[in-house]
Every structure is written in C-alpha cells, then in structure tokens.
Amino acid sequence: MTASTPNETTAVQAQAAQTDGFHLVIDALKLNGIDTIFGLPGIPITDLTRMAQTAGMRVISFRHEQHAGNAAAAAGFLTQKPGICLTVSAPGFLNGLTALANATTNCFPMILISGSSEREIVDLQQGDYEEMDQLAIAKPLCKAAFRILHAQDIGVGVARAIRSALSGRPGGVYLDMPAKLFSQTMDAVAGAASLIQVVDAAPRQIPAPDAVQRALDVLKSAQKPLILLGKGAAYAQADASIRALVERSGIPYLPMSMAKGILPDTHGQCASAARSHVLAEADVVLLIGARLNWLLSHGKGKTWGGSTTRRFIQIDIAPTEMDSNVPIAAPLVGDVGSCVDALLAGMGSNWAEPPAEWTRAVYDKRDKNQAKMAETLAKNPSPMNFQSALSAVREVIRENPEAILVNEGANTLDFTRSIVDMYLPRKRLDVGTWGIMGIGMGFSVAAAVVTGKPVIAVEGDSAFGFSGMEVETICRYHLPVCVVVFNNNGVYRGTDVNGSGGADVAPTVFVKGARYEMMMQAFGGVGVVANTPAELGAAMREAVASGKPTLINAIIDETAGTESGRITMLNPQTAKK
Ligand code: ADP
C-alpha cells in the first residue's frame, strides 16, 4: 500500500463532497419525516429504490403501480403525511395515475413521483424511450403538479409537493423527475443547504367567530338535529373533540362509511341503523368533513324526505365546497379540529339537548332495525349468504377492534358496511368517493405497513381480481393481512346466462368453484376454504393470531347478491324503468 500524495487526497475529498439527484431526493423526503416509498422499480428509478433502501427508508415494491399508488393514498389518509408512490415513466406513470386521481377525489394526501424521459426529446416529439408529456397529462387529475429539472431545485420541488398535498383540502400531487435529474451532481454542502424542512405543512384554519355563532344559532333552533360525520372528520384526527361535541350536544349522529369508528358504532347516539329515517326527517344537519355528493343524494330528493326547508351547517376546510348542491345556511370554514373546538367553546356547559321526542323516535327505529338484522344474522343457510358470512366477520372485528378492515365489492361492500361495527377511528378503508374497485390489496399493504396492526380485507370475488396479484407482495413482506374473498362465482352473482345461447359464459360470470386460496399458498401464505360461518370465524381468528398472510375462500351462495348492490338505480337500464 502506498501513501497518497496531497493532490490525490484533495481529489478524493472533492469527490466525496459531491452529492447527486438520487441522494438529494432521498434526503429531502427523509428530512420531512417521510420514511416509506411504495413503488415499482424500473428505468429510470431502479437505483433510486435501491439507494432509498440503503439509506434506511422502507421501500415496498408492488407488482403493478396502481396498487402502489393506492397504498400511498391510504398511507396518507392514515398518517396525515403524504404517501409516496414511485413509478417508472409513461406506462408506469399512467398506471399510477388512477390512484393519484382517486386520492385527489377522496382528499387523501399523496405524491406520485415518476421518472420521465428527456424534455428536449419529449418536447420535440422525437421519439424517446417511453416518451410522454407526463406533467401535462397529470395536471388535470391532481391538486398540483411540478417538474424538477435541476438538482439544486429538488429541495424546493419536494417541499412544494408536500405542502400542496397536505395544506387546505388534502389531495394528490404529481412530481415529474426526468431521468437526467438523478445523475446530476452538485456540492454536497450546497445540496444539503438547498433542502427544505417544511414548517407547519397543514396550518390550522380557525373559523371566524361570527361563522361559529351563526352555526350555533342554527343548531340551537333545531327540533330534529343530526350530526353527519365524513371521512374528512376521520382524517382530521380530532377524535376526542368530535366525541365531546356529539356527547355534549346530545344529537344523534350518522357516520359515513370511512367515518365509522370515530365513535364506536355501538355508541348510544349512533343512528346508523336508522339512516333512512334520520336523513328524511332531520330539520338541521351538521356536516363534519362530509360532502353532499352522490353518496348523500346531493342533499335533496326522496332520501331527504323531499324537504326544501332543511338547513345545513357544514364544517369543511374547502370554502368552495359550500352550496355545491344545496344552500348551506351556516358555512363553517376551517379545519375540523378548530371548528369543532370553537363550537364546543360556544356551546358552554349547559347546552339544551334536542327534544326527547326526536331522539326517542330515532333510537326506537334503530333498535327495531337492529333486532331485525340480528334475526337475519342468526340464520345459518347453506351455502352461506352475505349476511351469515358477515356475522362471523362482525364477531372477529368486535374481538379485534385494532384490526383494520379493508372492504370493496358491490354486495360485499354494502352488507359489510351495514353489518360490521367499527370501534376505533380510521380502522375502515373502502371504495370511497368514486366507489372504485381495485383498492383492496394496495390499501391492505399500506395499512399493515404504516400501522403494524392486523388487516382484514373483505373482498368481493370481482373486486379482489383487480389487485389479486399483490398477494405476492403481502407474502414477500410477511404482512399480517387476512384476505377474505366472498366467492359467489361472478360479478354481483354467478348465475347469469349468455343471452345468445352461445358457448361463452355471461359477461358477469367467473370460473365456478375458483380456488382463490391457492393464490396465497402459491407464495408461501396460508390458504383456507370456509363453507360455514364457524369455519370462516375460526380461519380469521387463526390468521389474526398468527399474523401470517392468509386468504380465506369464503363460499357464498351464487344466487345471493343483487345487480350493483345498493346502487342498482345507477344502471342506465334500471334507471330507464
Ligand atoms: P365522505 O365520503 O365520508 O362523506 P367526503 O370525502 O365526501 O367524505 O368529504 C370529506 C370532506 O372533508 C372534504 O370536503 C374535505 O375538504 C374535508 N376535509 C378533509 N380534511 C379536512 C380537515 N382537516 N378539516 C376540515 N375539512 C376537511
């Protein structure tokens, strides 16, 4: 070994003092507390995934970008940090885009980072590898979109993406990174100094005192008040304040599906089992982080008893949400926590409870409906139907309130939402605002990765098909995910026939008796067939106890299930009638 000359030492030091685009991206994310990337490696981001892992980040590789994107969105919803999805250029980017648009629609914070090909070639349309003007395509589908061309701008680009995703109404952000960016080098000290640690990324938005007073006045005048909790309330993590508001006001409340569990569904003021009654009858509705979109019949019509005199108070961080469907008598613009706290302060300690006549009618209706449901759940038909299978799921969730329930399908979604009680906030992840299919395995992976809690995914057999290959991802990372496939041989049900009498099965029919459990076995997980609620319950308990990736093929009567579940009326043919 020979001693190096002073010149050689200086040269080595100079080299060591350089950083590059790869490391600046990783450092910028880490500086902002982002420790996980969901993605799929390939040109030009393969090395970025390797280096991120080497630098101590958790890198979860998927089999398809849409599921990595869905995982990022769910992680954002659960943690209030933007979930990161990393994809390759053009096709990978496009695959991630569905999830980005869905995240934006649902107000979940996520950042889709995609590698892209060279600007000079793309802009002249000279035919680069995977050439596509990704920034232009992403823009209308997300909350904000940025491109970073120079290494010294990575800090600013990442900071802008984080702020855009989290502040105000959360949503999806696209960050375009051309391949050349990653290999650009710069002085390491200057590079570190160029990074930004975002301060107060989601500033509280305090409602104006006169708006608070207006809301209280409307609420006080109600004879039949109702509180409606949406997934914005769940996202806000203001659980104790919301509970205090509900309990101090004595007003019945209704959770939207992903707001279930902010207060336990078994709470004395929960009106879920009297949903139709309270929506049709309430004279004042306090919306907390819930939009009056199609899921709430736009706040009007038959669902709302045809009333045109009902008054709404709406808490939302987005001022433009107000009056989007019906007039909002008392808009309360701000973050859920600040608004609810302001209402509580204004209510004082001797707020008058709503008229007993109203609350009694609501709870009587609820109790009657629950008794009817208990009778249905106690039946044990063979093969299982949705209700009998879900009676087992319901018990397992009751015993494991920490578990996260992921849920998608048509009938599987509708029945699960109404039958399975949730006990803790942000434990239910589902198809959301679009009623989208395909979120199942992506959401499950994210839930397991960011919470470390057991995940139970209750999936229609059709819904499961969209993301089923990700069971390999679940096995690869040894995630405590138990997938329950409600197998009734088809979309909606398995009994449709080919109208032409031809050899093909009907468009809604799958292979009969499919062995979904073997998909999990193929990758080293546990696969079980369940024919009865007892078998289903036992297999789920075993899965939760062991933490092993498990898929339970729950055999459901193929005649069970209705067309499109609860939203049959949205089919054009049905709507025509
Ligand atoms: P659901 O589908 O459960 O009814 P929506 O997705 O329709 O819920 O509504 C969620 C609403 O919550 C959105 O209008 C969004 O702007 C709002 N929101 C999200 N986060 C917050 C927050 N921290 N504070 C106030 N409003 C919020």
Side-chain angles (χ1 to χ4, degrees):
M1 198 171 151
T2 52
S4 52
T5 65
N7 272 354
E8 278 170 348
T9 310
T10 318
V12 169
Q13 276 170 351
Q15 215 173 6
Q18 292 285 300
T19 186
D20 60 20
F22 288 115
H23 289 94
L24 286 167
V25 171
I26 294 162
D27 291 347
L29 293 173
K30 285 178 69 176
L31 182 65
N32 284 288
I34 294 171
D35 55 11
T36 305
I37 291 175
F38 303 96
L40 204 158
I43 296 172
I45 50 94
T46 312
D47 283 335
L48 184 61
T49 61
R50 291 194 184 106
M51 291 181 201
Q53 190 173 54
T54 304
M57 294 186 83
R58 189 107 199 253
V59 180
I60 306 292
S61 285
F62 283 74
R63 304 300 292 259
H64 188 288
E65 291 87 350
Q66 189 176 126
H67 312 308
N70 285 328
F77 170 73
L78 291 169
T79 63
Q80 290 186 329
K81 278 195 247 171
I84 305 294
C85 174
L86 182 63
T87 80
V88 302
S89 39
F93 154 78
L94 288 171
N95 287 344
L97 213 48
T98 306
L100 184 70
N102 188 49
T104 307
T105 301
N106 282 282
C107 317
F108 298 160
M110 76 168 273
I111 302 173
L112 174 68
I113 301 178
S114 295
S116 60
S117 42
E118 298 318 327
R119 294 296 332 142
E120 296 81 352
I121 304 179
V122 173
D123 290 347
L124 281 171
Q125 299 176 24
Q126 293 175 303
D128 203 359
Y129 167 73
E130 295 189 351
E131 175 182 299
M132 177 171 278
D133 190 355
Q134 296 172 196
L135 186 70
I137 291 165
K139 256 184 193 161
L141 297 172
C142 58
K143 200 177 157 192
F146 307 100
R147 175 182 293 127
I148 307 174
L149 289 173
H150 305 293
Q152 63 267 32
D153 293 333
I154 287 173
V156 169
V158 169
R160 289 193 47 68
I162 291 172
R163 228 175 240 297
S164 302
L166 289 177
S167 60
R169 171 181 277 175
V173 174
Y174 176 60
L175 206 44
D176 193 80
M177 296 195 184
K180 263 200 260 182
L181 176 73
F182 298 114
S183 54
Q184 283 178 29
T185 56
M186 70 181 288
D187 175 76
V189 175
S194 73
L195 302 183
I196 295 174
Q197 187 169 14
V198 176
V199 176
D200 197 11
R204 298 181 69 202
Q205 296 191 21
I206 317 287
D210 56 333
V212 175
Q213 194 51 54
R214 190 189 297 121
L216 286 169
D217 291 345
V218 174
L219 199 59
K220 204 177 284 176
S221 69
Q223 295 303 301
K224 299 175 174 183
L226 173 70
I227 294 176
L228 218 155
L229 302 174
K231 60 183 173 303
Y235 172 78
Q237 300 194 13
D239 313 326
S241 297
I242 291 170
R243 188 180 188 130
L245 178 76
V246 168
E247 293 182 346
R248 178 123 32 110
S249 70
I251 297 173
Y253 75 93
L254 192 62
M256 297 298 286
S257 68
M258 281 179 61
K260 279 162 70 80
I262 295 178
L263 291 93
D265 284 338
T266 47
H267 191 282
Q269 287 167 253
C270 183
S272 287
R275 187 178 194 273
S276 312
H277 179 75
V278 290
L279 291 183
E281 293 291 326
D283 65 348
V284 168
V285 179
L286 167 58
L287 299 158
I288 307 182
R291 286 169 285 188
L292 285 173
N293 56 18
W294 71 282
L295 289 161
L296 284 169
S297 306
H298 307 282
K300 54 195 170 194
K302 217 168 79 193
T303 305
W304 293 89
S307 162
T308 50
T309 55
R310 172 177 301 102
R311 286 168 306 158
F312 288 99
I313 305 163
Q314 184 162 25
I315 296 179
D316 205 291
I317 204 153
T320 49
E321 187 55 38
M322 308 300 161
D323 307 326
S324 53
N325 285 283
V326 291
I328 300 300
L332 202 49
V333 175
D335 66 277
V336 164
S338 300
C339 292
V340 170
D341 286 346
L343 287 179
L344 274 167
M347 283 165 79
S349 49
N350 50 358
W351 181 266
E353 296 226 326
E357 202 184 324
W358 164 240
T359 48
R360 206 174 317 114
V362 172
Y363 303 142
D364 280 354
K365 186 87 194 160
R366 174 194 65 193
D367 296 346
K368 221 177 281 164
N369 287 346
Q370 279 177 343
K372 225 186 294 167
M373 173 69 84
E375 272 173 35
T376 310
L377 293 182
K379 287 183 188 150
N380 194 359
S382 180
M384 291 189 282
N385 60 16
F386 289 95
Q387 294 94 327
S388 67
L390 284 166
S391 67
V393 176
R394 177 183 158 100
E395 277 311 295
V396 174
I397 292 286
R398 194 177 57 77
E399 294 160 16
N400 299 278
E402 285 286 328
I404 291 167
L405 177 67
V406 175
N407 186 204
E408 62 176 336
N411 294 281
T412 303
L413 175 86
D414 297 337
F415 283 114
T416 305
R417 186 178 48 221
S418 58
I419 291 172
V420 178
D421 289 331
M422 305 308 296
Y423 301 88
L424 294 169
R426 293 169 296 284
K427 296 296 183 190
R428 187 184 154 86
L429 301 174
D430 67 27
V431 304
T433 302
W434 268 347
I436 197 173
M437 294 294 129
I439 49 87
M441 298 305 103
F443 277 16
S444 297
V445 169
V449 166
V450 302
T451 71
K453 304 284 186 222
V455 177
I456 294 170
V458 177
E459 302 272 311
D461 50 354
S462 167
F464 174 67
F466 288 74
S467 65
M469 188 63 203
E470 301 297 345
V471 297
E472 191 273 334
T473 308
I474 290 168
C475 288
R476 188 166 11 110
Y477 293 103
H478 310 290
L479 299 175
V481 176
C482 171
V483 184
V484 181
V485 176
F486 275 16
N487 183 0
N488 66 349
N489 293 339
V491 183
Y492 310 132
R493 55 184 172 255
T495 50
D496 275 9
V497 289
N498 179 338
S500 78
D504 288 346
V505 296
T508 54
V509 168
F510 293 151
V511 166
K512 293 197 189 277
R515 301 289 304 275
Y516 290 106
E517 77 284 2
M518 295 174 83
M519 288 176 67
M520 198 60 106
Q521 290 168 348
F523 302 107
V526 178
V528 185
V529 179
N531 285 292
T532 65
E535 287 174 7
L536 176 55
M540 288 178 73
R541 286 184 183 91
E542 175 73 30
V544 171
S546 71
K548 287 189 186 148
T550 301
L551 193 151
I552 305 169
N553 186 0
I555 311 300
I556 306 286
D557 183 351
E558 68 171 359
T559 66
T562 56
E563 181 95 0
S564 305
R566 199 178 63 81
I567 53 175
T568 297
M569 73 293 184
L570 296 181
N571 287 324
Q573 194 62 22
T574 320
K576 225 168 57 180
K577 286 179 191 159

